[in-house]
Amino acid sequence: MSASVFRKENGVRKIIKAPLGFEGGDEMARFVNGCEKEFEKRLGDTVRSIGEIEELRVISLCGPTCSGKTTAANKIISEFREQGRRVNVISIDDFYYDKEILRKKSQERGEDGIDYDSVQTIDLPLLSEFVENIFSSSELYCPVFDFNSGARTSYRKIECGENDIFIFEGIQAIYPEVTELLGAHGYCSVYISPRSAISLGDRVLEPNELRLLRRIVRDRNFRSTSAEFTFRIWESVRENEENHIFPYADSCLFNIDSTFAYEIGMLRPYLETALGEMAEDSLYRAEAEEILDTIRYAEPIPTELLSENSLYREFV
């Protein structure tokens, strides 16, 4: 794959062999079901281990784009609710400064525009106060940030009991400046991402490549965004991950691998549609053709074979 679009993750990773074809629908269904059960066990074991941590109150949940954070969060929520504990999910995005403040700060630093991936966009004093109040107040007020206006539009009231769990989610949840605030009391950190590569015959798709394919499909399916746009922003997305996320991934207490051996076959029909819509003179046409050439080795797998609560429904 083109190095300009696909930069490989550092470190050791496992390679999963994906079948190139199936002898009938029953074999395909068994394969998908087996992959689902394997991941459910992986995720379930992790969530149960989290639930056994004594005096746990705060959890950070992080992962790069298209990793499966929503599914992981829902599983964690279910585990603690079964224990009779109330769970509150807090998006760190809600602690952004207003864009007017950010614009002024950026100008003072001589920067061109606002980088919402920078830790400097987070109101760390407000976040620190909020976290401290988890352990000292019976009610909290969490800001609500509206991306359309670029400002905090309100605060939502949260009832807080001494047995409640707070999940802080977002790519910023792994930044050292944020984990320092979250880790002052009963705390654990969870990181989810594809960590295994997939082998298709003589071709290998690395974890970062898998996430790009997922994002192309997800953006088109749920955000009405073209593959052209997803390619265009991918370099900046990856740059932030290399600088602010991946260096701290292995420091998290729990790491969850969200690679599925079936996923190229599951993505293939969607990718063929999304990439087929790209203009012949697109700057990313060569990368699109390379993807199409690779995924043709995988037999298409219908989404009907996915379980109701499959992580992969986040993308397809």
Side-chain angles (χ1 to χ4, degrees), residues 99-117:
K99 68 178 179 181
E100 293 306 321
I101 297 174
L102 293 176
R103 186 174 289 116
K104 183 177 179 181
K105 287 176 176 287
S106 296
Q107 289 171 349
E108 290 172 352
R109 293 192 298 266
E111 297 173 352
D112 182 21
I114 300 171
D115 178 10
Y116 277 102
D117 291 329

Side-chain angles (χ1 to χ4, degrees), residues 166-178:
F166 285 80
I167 300 176
F168 288 82
E169 60 89 17
I171 62 171
Q172 314 93 333
I174 203 170
Y175 294 178
E177 297 89 343
V178 173

Side-chain angles (χ1 to χ4, degrees), residues 261-272:
Y262 65 62
E263 60 183 281
I264 306 304
M266 190 71 65
L267 292 172
R268 177 180 166 178
Y270 297 96
L271 287 168
E272 288 176 337

Side-chain angles (χ1 to χ4, degrees), residues 98-235:
D98 289 359
K99 68 178 179 181
E100 293 306 321
I101 297 174
L102 293 176
R103 186 174 289 116
K104 183 177 179 181
K105 287 176 176 287
S106 296
Q107 289 171 349
E108 290 172 352
R109 293 192 298 266
E111 297 173 352
D112 182 21
I114 300 171
D115 178 10
Y116 277 102
D117 291 329
S118 168
V119 72
Q120 293 173 329
T121 60
I122 303 296
D123 188 342
L124 292 175
L126 181 62
L127 178 61
S128 177
E129 179 184 354
F130 181 86
V131 174
E132 286 299 320
N133 285 340
I134 289 174
F135 300 91
S136 60
S137 302
S138 59
E139 59 184 38
L140 308 171
Y141 291 89
C142 181
V144 177
F145 187 86
D146 176 59
F147 277 93
N148 290 325
S149 63
R152 293 175 196 156
T153 55
S154 62
Y155 286 79
R156 62 184 176 98
K157 183 179 176 181
I158 300 174
E159 302 291 340
C160 182
E162 62 180 17
N163 203 35
D164 289 2
I165 293 290
F166 285 80
I167 300 176
F168 288 82
E169 60 89 17
I171 62 171
Q172 314 93 333
I174 203 170
Y175 294 178
E177 297 89 343
V178 173
T179 58
E180 184 178 354
L181 300 179
L182 300 180
H185 304 280
Y187 164 75
C188 82
S189 51
V190 182
Y191 180 85
I192 182 168
S193 180
R195 304 299 291 264
S196 300
I198 294 180
S199 169
L200 275 175
D202 62 350
R203 307 194 180 203
V204 175
L205 285 159
E206 299 290 337
N208 289 332
E209 297 171 346
L210 297 175
R211 290 190 301 107
L212 173 59
L213 304 190
R214 290 176 176 185
R215 178 142 182 179
I216 290 170
V217 172
R218 184 207 67 182
D219 285 0
R220 186 181 185 279
N221 283 349
F222 301 114
R223 301 187 179 185
S224 301
T225 300
S226 68
E228 176 89 21
F229 180 81
T230 304
F231 274 117
R232 190 183 312 139
I233 65 170
W234 186 246
E235 276 299 301

Side-chain angles (χ1 to χ4, degrees), residues 3 15 18-19 24 37 56 59 89 91 100 183 188 211 243 246:
I15 296 181
K37 286 185 175 179
L56 179 67
I59 300 169
V89 179
S91 172
E100 293 306 321
C188 82
R211 290 190 301 107
N243 292 334
F246 291 159

